Amino acid sequence: MAIYHLHVKRLSRNKGHSAIKASAYRSGQIMTDELGKKINYSNRPDIEPLEIVSADWMPDWCKDRQTLWQNVEDVEKRKDAQLAIEIEF
């Protein structure tokens, strides 16, 4: 018998979350946050290769992780903005 698990987590600014930091952590890459600080999670050994999947008609910047999440941070101005949703199953 299989046991299923579903966990949904909202990343919101009022809880101190950053979409750029979360993306860098989950992808194991070096990224730069909105203040110009380098975030380095490249030394994590447990990261599987990740890719961004998008439709063919989406602009090219949607395929670049740094640009995508920087745009999310720039567009969402409110202090209680919901930046992303993480779905783990």
Side-chain angles (χ1 to χ4, degrees):
M1 174 180 7
I3 298 175
Y4 297 98
H5 168 80
L6 174 67
H7 181 75
V8 179
K9 179 180 176 184
R10 295 172 190 252
L11 300 175
S12 60
R13 190 170 280 144
N14 66 346
K15 293 183 181 177
H17 297 142
S18 166
I20 297 172
K21 290 178 184 175
S23 178
Y25 180 77
R26 284 157 182 79
S27 65
Q29 293 182 343
I30 300 172
M31 296 177 79
T32 307
D33 70 1
E34 59 275 1
L35 301 175
K37 181 181 171 188
K38 291 238 182 236
I39 303 161
N40 186 355
Y41 287 109
S42 61
N43 58 353
R44 289 188 61 201
D46 58 336
I47 298 296
E48 298 285 329
L50 298 174
E51 63 182 81
I52 295 176
V53 180
S54 65
D56 294 336
W57 52 268
M58 296 294 288
D60 288 337
W61 61 263
C62 290
K63 295 176 178 75
D64 177 45
R65 191 177 314 276
Q66 175 71 47
T67 308
L68 173 68
W69 292 111
Q70 184 64 50
N71 285 341
V72 169
E73 293 277 352
D74 291 344
V75 168
E76 296 294 341
K77 298 291 184 189
R78 294 177 51 125
K79 68 178 184 175
D80 62 346
Q82 178 180 311
L83 302 172
I85 298 175
E86 176 185 23
I87 302 172
E88 176 184 307
F89 59 95

